[in-house]
Amino acid sequence: MTAPTTATDVNQPSLEHAPKTGRRLSLPVLMLVIAGALALTSIVRLITGADGITNVSQMSTALQLAVPIGLAGLGGLWAERAGVVNIGLEGMMILGTWFGAWAGFQWGPWTGVLVGLIGGCLGGLLHAVVTVTFNVNHIVSGVAINILALGATRYLAPLAFEGHQGGSAKQSPAVESLGHFTVPGLSDWLTDLNAKGWFFVSDIAGLLGGLVTDVSWLTLIAVALIPGTWWILWRTPFGLRLRSCGENPVAAESLGVNVYKYKYLAVIISGGLAGLGGVFLSIVANPFYLEGQTSGRGYIGLAAMIFGNWMPGGLAIGAGLFGYTDSLNLRGGSTNVHALLLLGALLLVIGAIWLAIRKKYVQAAVTLVVGALVFAWYAGTNEVPSQVVAATPYVVTLVVLALSAQRLRMPKADGMPYRKGQGK
């Protein structure tokens, strides 16, 4: 006779009977893919002479732009792993920017970090109350929070900032810096190695140099949150219970899990992480709050999470990709984006070959034609219009999601309504 399942079973960090999440790349294979992409980029750099696509300054800027996107994506991951869709990440980031700058210029930057995080948590709490307790559609609630956050900060900004030096109805006074650090010796060596322009080696030096040059302490915290999130959600009983709420809340409740509590915790943490991304924008990226400074990064963070298949590692790669394309706006954008047209054409040709090997001949033909058109664009021009440069991050977001959509699997109960006791 089979022993009955008890509530303590869910405490064991095992997902033996959990649904498959699709094929995942092993770490060695993933490293080979990244190395291959970097080698291809190095070839493009040598052909085009666009050294800026992998220099230290470019990579440092890309890291800075990737951090708020990654934090927003982490926030979305926490909520959706518990079964709550969080379209309101943008609004929670807006709350983080405002509260962080408001507290930062008065009581110091680290106080601003804490208060901005709390501001994001308040947005998450509101989303949890509306979706978990009152069972409102998650998309409707998230959109409402985005609108509410924008309206609230527009109303509060004149009251809080006008009359202070440097403040106005749309901008806060300046906030002191959190400080930056550079690894002495290593940064200079990598910068010199990157300047030599060698194949592959100089490109790796540029990538690593960007990680150790003028790095904010908040960046270090954000990077540490990636493996921290993975460990908590995939290696602890707490994480197992939380993820069970996003896969099968009825089964989780039958095993003694307080589903409401875990959903609330996940969405509040989600808001706090998005708020921390907003703090980064208003204290690190710019030393002041500025109306509209999130610029849709909450939505791009959500896209990075989806690209990463609801996993922290994939999310980090997605955030890095979007941060890199965004950095092209700031450093030699037209020249670099034009060089990346060649990279895009090469990637499309490789993709067409791969599809042909898998006997998907129609898709291979379409991909090859698109690759030929992109190459023709590259060969027939010397630069791209500034409008194309500005749109590059958003175009890359759409393309990446379109290409990766077939391998994705969200948590089974993500976005589904749940009432306590509904399985009885």
Side-chain angles (χ1 to χ4, degrees):
M1 182 174 180
T2 304
T5 302
T6 65
T8 58
D9 291 339
V10 77
N11 294 330
Q12 302 301 319
S14 172
L15 293 176
E16 181 181 353
H17 303 293
K20 300 294 183 183
T21 58
R23 179 185 293 181
R24 294 178 187 168
L25 294 176
S26 63
L27 183 59
V29 173
L30 180 60
M31 296 303 293
L32 284 175
V33 170
I34 293 174
L38 193 58
L40 198 60
T41 303
S42 184
I43 292 172
V44 169
R45 175 181 61 80
L46 292 173
I47 293 173
T48 62
D51 293 334
I53 61 177
T54 58
N55 66 21
V56 172
S57 298
Q58 183 77 53
M59 295 303 181
S60 180
T61 303
L63 175 63
Q64 180 171 289
L65 293 171
V67 167
I69 295 172
L71 286 170
L74 270 183
L77 186 148
W78 272 85
E80 299 207 12
R81 278 295 176 179
V84 179
V85 175
N86 193 356
I87 298 293
L89 292 169
E90 179 77 5
M92 296 167 197
M93 285 189 79
I94 292 172
L95 292 175
T97 61
W98 192 90
F99 278 101
W102 171 71
F105 89 87
Q106 297 183 89
W107 302 300
W110 286 108
T111 303
V113 170
L114 178 61
V115 174
L117 188 150
I118 293 172
C121 286
L122 291 175
L125 176 60
L126 177 60
H127 189 49
V129 170
V130 172
T131 57
V132 178
T133 300
F134 293 102
N135 230 3
V136 173
N137 181 277
H138 299 188
I139 305 298
V140 172
S141 173
V143 171
I145 287 174
N146 291 338
I147 296 171
L148 180 63
L150 182 59
T153 52
R154 281 182 175 176
Y155 172 76
L156 293 171
L159 300 177
F161 302 142
E162 284 186 339
H164 295 277
Q165 184 177 1
S168 68
K170 295 186 177 182
Q171 180 177 316
S172 73
V175 182
E176 292 181 15
S177 173
L178 286 170
H180 294 74
F181 72 90
T182 296
V183 179
L186 180 61
S187 175
D188 293 336
W189 178 69
L190 289 172
T191 300
D192 292 340
L193 188 59
N194 175 246
K196 294 183 183 298
W198 294 339
F199 169 72
F200 194 63
V201 174
S202 292
D203 302 285
I204 292 179
L207 176 61
L208 297 178
L211 301 178
V212 297
T213 304
D214 290 332
V215 180
S216 166
W217 293 105
L218 192 54
T219 299
L220 196 63
I221 294 172
V223 171
L225 285 171
I226 300 290
T229 291
W230 173 82
W231 184 80
I232 292 172
L233 293 183
W234 274 269
R235 287 295 182 268
T236 67
F238 170 83
L240 179 63
R241 297 188 194 103
L242 187 146
R243 287 186 294 117
S244 70
C245 297
E247 294 291 346
N248 194 331
V250 174
E253 181 185 359
S254 71
L255 294 174
V257 175
N258 187 333
V259 176
Y260 276 18
K261 181 182 78 171
Y262 280 92
K263 284 180 178 287
Y264 261 84
L265 284 172
V267 180
I268 291 171
I269 292 171
S270 172
L273 289 169
L276 196 60
V279 168
F280 188 93
L281 292 173
S282 62
I283 294 182
V284 178
N286 295 298
F288 49 81
Y289 162 82
L290 184 65
E291 185 178 304
Q293 69 189 136
T294 55
S295 299
R297 287 181 175 86
Y299 299 113
I300 298 179
L302 197 63
M305 178 205 68
I306 296 170
F307 165 79
N309 206 12
W310 287 264
M311 295 291 292
L315 182 157
I317 294 173
L321 174 63
F322 300 141
Y324 176 77
T325 55
D326 200 11
S327 70
L328 297 175
N329 289 325
L330 303 178
R331 295 184 176 276
S334 180
T335 302
N336 291 339
V337 172
H338 183 259
L340 291 180
L341 288 176
L342 178 59
L343 176 61
L346 292 174
L347 289 173
L348 286 168
V349 170
I350 292 171
I353 295 172
W354 173 248
L355 289 170
I357 291 173
R358 299 179 65 187
K359 299 182 179 180
K360 296 182 178 181
Y361 299 115
V362 175
Q363 296 95 320
V366 172
T367 303
L368 188 60
V369 169
V370 175
L373 291 174
V374 173
F375 179 77
W377 185 6
Y378 165 77
T381 59
N382 293 320
E383 60 180 19
V384 295
S386 59
Q387 295 87 345
V388 174
V389 178
T392 298
Y394 308 102
V395 172
V396 169
T397 300
L398 292 174
V399 171
V400 166
L401 288 180
L403 294 176
S404 63
Q406 294 183 351
R407 68 173 181 82
L408 303 178
R409 192 201 76 84
M410 68 173 65
K412 275 196 171 182
D414 193 16
M416 296 177 60
Y418 168 78
R419 287 289 187 186
K420 186 175 182 179
Q422 72 180 41
K424 295 181 180 179

